[in-house]
């Protein structure tokens, strides 16, 4: 196990940052959190992630680890005996967890963010349908991965739980902004029960941002920052 001080560079509303916080907290690891401005990137961020220039970045001693899913795996591998394991031990189950985590970031996250970025009702409706379809596929993934237990990770939250759970505040905020029902208990009843259990955990209570604050931030992005970002 590599020793050294832990720092996390992030932005408060980012699901990618939130999931790293969740696992650090669940492992009981002490760290310094350093908030970043995504529009005015600091020298610290540029130094430690010169390739992608984005958060999260985990600084562990003299090591820089970037990309949230990579960071989660690093934490699990470097502190295997500290707190619960993040990824399944079985190689097949690990592969399945990694597959669905990639799906959440590649398909689900881009779909619900696309709802907020849509400039026409037609585009918005398409992204709403994409988000609902992604959640329905994750309903099946939960049934398979949980094997009848409370979480994707079994009896305790794990890799897939925090990957999806870190998006919950944004999904609820997107529902409030768009007026669309994304998490529908008639279509994803297992996921809805999982959401209730996940939100009741200390992991979620200690790290998920307030939905109203995320909603306000999302509305601001719709009229200002996304326009600025897209122009660069």
């Amino acid at each position: 196990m590599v020793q050294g001080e832990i720092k996390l560079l992030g932005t408060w509303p980012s699901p990618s940052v939130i999931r790293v916080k969740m696992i650090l907290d669940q492992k009981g690891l002490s760290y310094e959190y350093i908030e970043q401005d995504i529009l005015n990137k600091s020298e610290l961020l540029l130094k430690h992630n010169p390739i992608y220039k984005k958060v999260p970045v985990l600084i562990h001693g003299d090591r820089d680890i970037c990309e949230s899913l990579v960071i989660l795996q690093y934490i699990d591998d470097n502190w295997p005996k500290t707190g619960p394991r993040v990824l399944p031990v079985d190689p097949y189950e690990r592969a399945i967890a990694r597959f669905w985590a990639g799906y959440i970031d590649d398909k689900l996250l881009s779909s619900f963010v696309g709802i907020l970025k849509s400039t026409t009702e037609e585009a918005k409706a398409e992204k709403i349908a994409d988000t609902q379809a992604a959640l329905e596929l994750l309903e099946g993934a939960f049934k398979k991965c949980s094997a009848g237990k409370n979480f994707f990770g079994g009896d305790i939250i794990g890799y897939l739980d925090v990957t999806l759970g870190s998006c919950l505040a944004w999904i609820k905020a997107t529902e409030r902004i768009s007026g669309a029902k994304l998490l529908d208990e008639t279509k994803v009843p297992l996921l809805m029960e999982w959401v209730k259990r996940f939100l009741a955990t200390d992991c979620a209570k200690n790290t998920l941002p307030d939905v109203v604050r995320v909603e306000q931030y999302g509305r601001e992005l719709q009229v200002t920052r996304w326009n600025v970002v897209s122009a660069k």
Side-chain angles (χ1 to χ4, degrees):
M1 180 178 69
V2 177
Q3 301 289 343
E5 183 181 34
I6 305 170
K7 297 180 181 179
L8 176 62
L9 309 185
T11 56
W12 70 266
S14 168
S16 297
V17 174
I18 292 165
R19 64 183 58 150
V20 175
K21 287 182 175 182
M22 286 178 171
I23 290 303
L24 287 170
D25 289 349
Q26 184 166 311
K27 286 278 192 181
L29 297 169
S30 299
Y31 65 98
E32 179 186 358
Y33 176 70
I34 305 173
E35 181 74 14
Q36 301 293 301
D37 184 338
I38 59 173
L39 295 183
N40 299 294
K41 296 175 181 179
S42 69
E43 290 299 320
L44 184 65
L45 176 60
L46 297 176
K47 173 185 176 182
H48 290 283
N49 189 0
I51 307 301
Y52 289 113
K53 304 178 178 64
K54 64 181 184 180
V55 295
V57 179
L58 187 77
I59 304 171
H60 181 208
D62 60 356
R63 298 180 172 190
D64 305 326
I65 305 96
C66 307
E67 301 295 305
S68 65
L69 298 181
V70 176
I71 293 172
L72 297 186
Q73 294 173 52
Y74 176 82
I75 293 171
D76 202 30
D77 290 340
N78 196 65
W79 291 279
K81 296 182 180 179
T82 302
R85 292 303 302 260
V86 179
L87 278 154
V89 175
D90 179 80
Y92 175 72
E93 292 179 357
R94 288 171 72 92
I96 294 299
R98 285 172 173 153
F99 171 83
W100 284 111
Y103 180 82
I104 289 166
D105 277 3
D106 294 340
K107 299 296 183 181
L108 177 64
L109 196 150
S110 62
S111 294
F112 71 73
V113 168
I115 297 171
L116 301 179
K117 288 185 174 183
S118 296
T119 56
T120 66
E121 287 301 314
E122 182 180 0
K124 177 181 170 183
E126 181 180 347
K127 289 301 180 181
I128 289 171
D130 288 346
T131 304
Q132 292 168 334
L135 288 168
E136 288 178 34
L137 284 175
L138 287 167
E139 170 88 351
F142 175 77
K143 184 176 182 179
K144 181 176 181 178
C145 294
S146 66
K149 296 183 179 179
N150 286 338
F151 301 102
F152 281 95
D155 292 320
I156 57 173
I157 64 172
Y159 187 68
L160 275 181
D161 294 287
V162 299
T163 302
L164 180 56
S166 61
C167 299
L168 289 178
W170 270 106
I171 292 174
K172 297 304 293 182
T174 302
E175 287 184 327
R176 293 167 65 104
I177 294 170
S178 67
K181 187 69 173 176
L182 303 177
L183 280 166
D184 188 339
E185 62 185 10
T186 65
K187 296 181 179 179
V188 288
L190 297 179
L191 271 188
M192 289 299 292
E193 289 301 315
W194 168 81
V195 168
K196 293 175 185 177
R197 289 189 294 268
F198 184 82
L199 293 178
T201 65
D202 290 339
C203 176
K205 292 177 181 178
N206 294 337
T207 53
L208 278 177
D210 178 70
V211 172
V212 174
R213 186 183 181 198
V214 174
E215 177 189 357
Q216 181 180 6
Y217 183 77
R219 291 186 186 279
E220 291 172 356
L221 284 177
Q222 284 186 305
V223 297
T224 56
R225 297 192 181 186
W226 270 325
N227 291 334
V228 172
V229 172
S230 63
K232 291 186 177 180

